[in-house]
Amino acid sequence: MLDKTPHAFLLGRRCPCAASKQNVSSPRRRRYTSQPNFYHNRILEQYASQETKRVTLRQLTVFGRTLTEEKLLKSANYVRAELPVRLAHRIFDFQHLPFIVGTNPHIEHIYKLYWEAFETFRSIPQITTLEQNREFCDTVEHMLDTHLVAIPRLAMGVAESGVHLAAREADRFMNEMLRSRIGRRVLAEQHITLSAVFDGRESQEPHYIGIVNTRCRAQDVVQRCSNLASRVFEEAFGVTPPEVAVDGHLDATFTYIPDQIEYIIFELLKNSMWATLEKHAPEVLVQATKDSGAEPELHREDDTRPYRTSSGNAPRLGEAWAANAALRNVRGTARDPMIPTPEHLDMTGPSSSYTSSSVPSSSSTADAVTKLPSIRATIGSADSLITFRISDQGGGIRRDALSHLWSYSHPSKRKFLNFAHVPRLAAKVEESEHHVVPTGLKLGLGLPMSKVYANYWGGDIEVCSMDGYGTDAYVTLKVGNQVENLTYTGG
Ligand SMILES: Nc1ncnc2c1ncn2[C@@H]1O[C@H](COP(=O)(O)OP(=O)(O)O)[C@@H](O)[C@H]1O
Ligand SMILES: [Mg+2]
């Protein structure tokens, strides 16, 4: 159902100027008609035409090292001025989606949230006192919390948009949304933490400046992630996980935001553990899936069938929306495999399918499992590069899956509909620790989101698959004075 709140006027999404530009530059923009919300869009344009003032990792640490009231207020005003500019860029991006995609309830919801945040931050006057800064921090914190729905709803919106959004466009849109989101959260969390430390409400952990750890130990990152991935694995399958052996430059330390690298390493280890089980003890995976009532996950990459959803509004919303889209007869029909239809969406699964306590009672299969081949995590450190290589013997990545590992739009990304079980997500490892992400639930976001995190400070992830044997994933982090990378250039 479309939202009919008073903010609906903001959803008209077209400034006349953009409408005139669109006729010249891009056919996809022509689907919009101009809307009467001229005033708001003029303001939006003013902000969207401004360049973002990107920060570097070094700036974050140098600035926060010795804080004074004057510096804290400077930081507050930087965040206050920067957030609406960054939000305006993204709102502009929403406005350039094909019209039909813009009417998807998930996309529309986030569009509205962004407008609200934009209006809030652009209305905040210059911050000149610590008291005003405290209020400002509360507002920022509230925004961070409210926007936890962004990843799940954007992912579901894109999955439901199917043929209405070209693959390249979907990838660019999601990539830039996620990068920008990371950027806003970094600025916000850094300022909130610095303020809390300055006020004496929080004590700064050793070697940290705000949310940045100036002595991040590569070995500790791997260890923490491997402990958690092992725990999650054991909870899901009731068998001993593959060991993770760490070697290479064990003493490598670097300046980084730990949350970001931990997310990446955790997701890679989790994938490696799952693949190792699938290759060497598929019966355990099948048994565990049977026990939990979910559909088997084996070889699903080329499978356009929907992922089991147990309950919740999201797929139903999507279903209604897709049906409307088909009625409007815009590029494609309800028979497109990407559009959920009632028979596609299996709503009958038990809602406990993916609960954190769904440890399978597959003791007979578990007992029969011999030791799974170990995973190797190698650390390399040279100049301003830190590399992690995660090698497994999980049989490699199927060839047909390799081409869309980083995609947000392939039919296999119907897994995004599983976000109906995860309505709020910050994309942090602690969410797996606290079962915000139900154990064993496949969301299809691990690799693409990890790449977004790696790219953000100029790094990257590559995977090399040896058919039938295993996979090597390489994460390269640039740890010098890296500037935020907010633009997706494809690939
Ligand atoms: N190390 C690996 N070995 C084999 N297949 C892998 C590996 N890593 C990823 N894959 C394949 O890529 C898919 C996408 O991974 P990911 O983006 O993490 O999403 P998800 O794990 O939720 O499916 C996995 O489902 C799996 O089929
Ligand atoms: Mg994964």
Side-chain angles (χ1 to χ4, degrees):
M1 248 190 13
L2 297 185
D3 196 323
K4 299 282 187 222
T5 65
H7 287 278
F9 76 98
L10 292 175
L11 302 175
R13 67 160 115 0
R14 265 318 71 176
C15 66
C17 181
S20 60
K21 263 194 246 155
Q22 75 195 25
N23 290 332
V24 222
S25 57
S26 165
R28 73 193 153 85
R29 295 177 183 174
R30 267 181 233 130
R31 284 178 217 118
Y32 278 106
T33 53
S34 59
Q35 298 288 330
N37 47 349
F38 184 77
Y39 169 72
H40 282 95
N41 272 318
R42 279 310 292 254
I43 291 170
L44 180 77
E45 261 203 341
Q46 283 163 16
Y47 281 86
S49 64
Q50 291 175 41
E51 294 274 320
T52 48
K53 291 192 175 67
R54 295 178 298 155
V55 294
T56 66
L57 254 180
R58 188 166 297 154
Q59 276 170 338
L60 286 182
T61 49
V62 170
F63 186 87
R65 194 159 280 151
T66 45
L67 266 189
T68 59
E69 180 175 334
E70 190 192 348
K71 278 173 94 178
L72 195 66
L73 296 178
K74 198 170 168 197
S75 163
N77 283 307
Y78 162 68
V79 176
R80 178 188 65 87
E82 188 64 11
L83 287 180
V85 173
R86 294 186 181 209
L87 285 161
H89 283 249
R90 299 285 61 87
I91 294 172
F92 219 62
D93 235 23
F94 273 106
Q95 295 186 336
H96 289 75
L97 286 170
F99 179 79
I100 189 72
V101 177
T103 65
N104 176 277
H106 301 298
I107 302 278
E108 204 160 34
H109 181 83
I110 301 305
Y111 179 68
K112 194 183 105 189
L113 267 189
Y114 276 35
W115 257 113
E116 284 169 356
F118 170 71
E119 290 290 349
T120 302
F121 285 107
R122 83 175 178 87
S123 317
I124 297 176
Q126 182 84 6
I127 298 159
T128 55
T129 66
L130 287 178
E131 186 48 40
Q132 287 171 356
N133 183 46
R134 259 171 238 129
E135 275 173 37
F136 176 66
C137 287
D138 288 347
T139 309
V140 176
E141 237 167 317
H142 178 70
M143 178 204 69
L144 291 181
D145 187 62
T146 319
H147 284 223
L148 285 176
V149 297
I151 293 181
R153 296 202 74 158
L154 285 173
M156 288 193 286
V158 165
E160 289 173 7
S161 294
V163 293
H164 303 302
L165 195 55
R168 203 178 150 67
E169 186 57 15
D171 289 349
R172 192 198 59 75
F173 174 76
M174 279 299 279
N175 212 295
E176 293 201 349
M177 280 291 156
L178 294 176
R179 277 183 208 219
S180 169
R181 189 185 158 281
I182 295 174
R184 292 192 310 275
R185 292 188 96 83
V186 164
L187 300 188
E189 288 177 4
Q190 180 71 355
H191 179 68
I192 289 171
T193 311
L194 291 181
S195 299
V197 170
F198 189 77
D199 279 358
R201 280 177 288 126
E202 264 180 39
S203 55
Q204 188 76 79
E205 283 182 59
H207 312 306
Y208 272 73
I209 295 170
I211 57 170
V212 186
N213 185 351
T214 58
R215 286 206 210 156
C216 212
R217 251 185 114 227
Q219 192 187 358
D220 293 347
V221 169
V222 175
Q223 204 55 60
R224 173 165 144 72
C225 296
S226 120
N227 290 347
L228 181 59
S230 301
R231 199 187 88 193
V232 167
F233 181 95
E234 225 166 326
E235 278 176 7
F237 304 113
V239 297
T240 309
E243 255 173 49
V244 178
V246 191
D247 62 5
H249 294 153
L250 295 178
D251 291 330
T253 56
F254 55 102
T255 297
Y256 218 72
I257 299 176
D259 279 349
Q260 299 184 349
I261 181 61
E262 284 178 5
Y263 179 90
I264 298 171
I265 301 297
F266 173 71
E267 289 298 327
L268 293 179
L269 286 174
K270 209 166 57 156
N271 281 349
S272 286
M273 287 184 180
W274 255 246
T276 304
L277 184 74
E278 184 172 338
K279 164 88 177 153
H280 297 275
E283 69 285 359
V284 176
L285 197 54
V286 171
Q287 183 62 44
T289 324
K290 256 194 223 157
D291 289 349
S292 72
E295 290 183 33
E297 286 288 347
L298 295 169
H299 304 309
R300 302 292 310 243
E301 291 311 305
D302 56 349
D303 189 349
T304 57
R305 281 178 306 161
Y307 281 69
R308 178 176 286 262
T309 53
S310 64
S311 61
N313 293 331
R316 290 194 186 279
L317 275 175
E319 204 179 324
W321 173 79
N324 282 337
L327 280 176
R328 284 184 219 129
N329 200 18
V330 187
R331 277 172 64 200
T333 72
R335 292 172 64 201
D336 282 313
M338 286 291 289
I339 300 179
T341 60
E343 16 356 323
H344 272 141
L345 285 166
D346 179 355
M347 314 295 280
T348 57
S351 57
S352 59
S353 294
Y354 300 106
T355 56
S356 57
S357 58
S358 64
V359 179
S361 57
S362 52
S363 49
S364 53
T365 24
D367 291 347
V369 176
T370 50
K371 198 168 174 244
L372 294 167
S374 62
I375 293 163
R376 182 171 292 275
T378 308
I379 298 159
S381 164
D383 303 326
S384 53
L385 289 183
I386 297 276
T387 308
F388 295 84
R389 182 184 60 200
I390 310 292
S391 307
D392 65 54
Q393 295 172 46
I397 301 176
R398 282 158 34 93
R399 283 187 170 239
D400 54 340
L402 270 174
S403 61
H404 55 262
L405 279 183
W406 316 106
S407 149
Y408 296 86
S409 52
H410 186 266
S412 66
K413 292 299 166 174
R414 292 180 58 77
K415 278 184 232 180
F416 281 171
L417 296 180
N418 280 341
F419 271 109
H421 300 273
V422 189
R424 287 155 58 87
L425 190 85
K428 292 187 179 184
V429 162
E430 63 190 35
E431 292 174 320
S432 292
E433 207 163 3
H434 300 126
H435 301 299
V436 171
V437 179
T439 303
L441 182 64
K442 289 273 192 175
L443 294 167
L445 193 72
L447 288 177
M449 186 71 211
S450 295
K451 203 173 180 76
V452 170
Y453 269 131
N455 290 164
Y456 179 67
W457 295 114
D460 206 359
I461 303 185
E462 282 169 55
V463 292
C464 274
S465 168
M466 284 174 76
D467 284 348
Y469 181 76
T471 303
D472 285 352
Y474 293 85
V475 184
T476 311
L477 301 184
K478 291 187 181 169
V479 292
N481 191 21
Q482 289 308 314
V483 69
E484 293 174 278
N485 176 13
L486 298 172
T487 319
Y488 174 66
T489 49

